[in-house]
Amino acid sequence: MIEHLVEVWGAELVAAVDPEDYYDFQVNRPQVLGTDEGRVVRWPTTRVFLAKDTPSGRDVILVHGIEPSIRWRHFTADILGLALHEGAQLLVLLGAMLADVPHTRPIPVGLSSEDRDLRSAHEDIEPSTYEGPTGIVGVLADEARQADLPTVSCWAAVPHYAGGPPSPKASLALLGQLEELLDCVIDDSGLADAARAWERGVDELAATDDEVRDYVRQLEESQDAADLPEASGDAIAREFERYLRRRDDGGPLG
């Protein structure tokens, strides 16, 4: 998802954390890669990109990396310090989780925020009720709240039987939510095609296994029965509005 935004927005690399400070290389090992200049070692790290003049009319800082192994407080201080130094006004956290959902239906995306203004402006955003172990995004959200930086978390529900990364259909669902939050059209070229190819691939996998096929059918029936007619109507209306924005913007319709 972040890699797609870096590409379509032409974002430039502006910073990277020192991997020695935050990563256990026995857990996240460096990779040996062949390049035009010879073989090089690429170390696990978190990189920061800056996208200027995005369709939202604002500059956007994009952070892409893996969860640190140690010193989470220092890590979040580094990331938030950079964001606040650049005058960030909104923090959007994007993630995915495995769930009992069928791959043949739209990927559900849950939005949560502790900021009342954000919840008032976007009816789909709810306060989080989760209690339990958290990851680095949960720590970032809490530190941002303490720094009075409005934050919203977006979590895509990925079918657990097809949860191996990447999941372009989940990325596409997150992109749609980001469009709503930033009130703009984002180029989904390539991502929409990849999402359709991913769904076809899972279809083929399910067709070869009777248990998986039956399980997918049960998930479909359960989700279809749970979806209220008005909820389905709202989803159709939002998708139609998104189509109209893309048409008016002159961008790809997906």
Side-chain angles (χ1 to χ4, degrees):
M1 169 67 180
I2 298 297
E3 291 174 322
H4 176 77
L5 294 175
V6 168
E7 180 180 354
V8 298
W9 285 347
E12 296 183 1
L13 179 67
V14 294
V17 303
D18 186 342
E20 292 281 352
D21 292 339
Y22 301 113
Y23 294 103
D24 180 347
F25 298 137
Q26 290 185 324
V27 176
N28 296 295
R29 292 184 178 274
Q31 301 289 317
V32 177
L33 303 174
T35 69
D36 294 338
E37 299 178 356
R39 295 172 66 79
V40 299
V41 174
R42 176 169 293 177
W43 295 89
T45 187
T46 294
R47 296 177 173 84
V48 182
F49 300 84
L50 177 61
K52 295 185 176 181
D53 300 324
T54 67
S56 68
R58 293 167 287 186
D59 293 347
V60 177
I61 299 171
L62 301 167
V63 181
H64 182 254
I66 54 179
E67 187 172 73
S69 306
I70 56 174
R71 304 178 73 229
W72 282 20
R73 289 182 176 177
H74 285 84
F75 180 88
T76 53
D78 283 349
I79 297 300
L80 288 178
L82 186 150
L84 294 172
H85 177 74
E86 295 297 328
Q89 298 176 337
L90 173 67
L91 175 63
V92 180
L93 300 170
L94 303 172
M97 59 183 178
L98 300 180
D100 292 326
V101 295
H103 72 282
T104 53
R105 299 294 186 265
I107 295 289
V109 178
L111 286 77
S112 65
S113 177
E114 299 305 307
D115 188 274
R116 293 181 179 178
D117 292 338
L118 283 175
R119 296 202 302 267
S120 297
H122 302 274
E123 61 181 15
D124 292 337
I125 300 179
E126 300 179 351
S128 176
T129 59
Y130 172 77
E131 295 183 356
T134 189
I136 192 62
V137 292
V139 177
L140 275 167
D142 184 66
E143 294 293 329
R145 178 187 59 80
Q146 296 183 48
D148 294 323
L149 177 61
T151 302
V152 58
S153 297
C154 307
W155 287 91
V158 179
H160 67 83
Y161 58 88
S167 179
K169 189 171 181 178
S171 295
L172 190 62
L174 288 170
L175 184 144
Q177 289 294 344
L178 190 59
E179 287 183 327
E180 296 291 334
L181 291 170
L182 300 183
D183 191 23
C184 70
V185 174
I186 302 174
D187 185 357
D188 65 359
S189 301
L191 194 57
D193 291 338
R196 286 189 287 268
W198 175 86
E199 186 168 342
R200 288 195 299 270
V202 181
D203 283 341
E204 294 173 0
L205 173 65
T208 63
D209 190 313
D210 291 342
E211 290 187 4
V212 173
R213 184 172 59 250
D214 291 343
Y215 180 61
V216 171
R217 186 180 300 113
Q218 293 175 13
L219 291 176
E220 291 173 338
E221 293 173 353
S222 177
Q223 182 164 322
D224 292 345
D227 285 342
L228 298 175
E230 58 267 25
S232 299
D234 290 343
I236 293 172
R238 284 195 298 270
E239 187 61 28
F240 186 61
E241 289 173 359
R242 184 167 179 247
Y243 169 84
L244 292 178
R245 284 203 307 271
R246 288 184 171 278
R247 186 193 64 180
D248 295 340
D249 184 70
L253 298 180

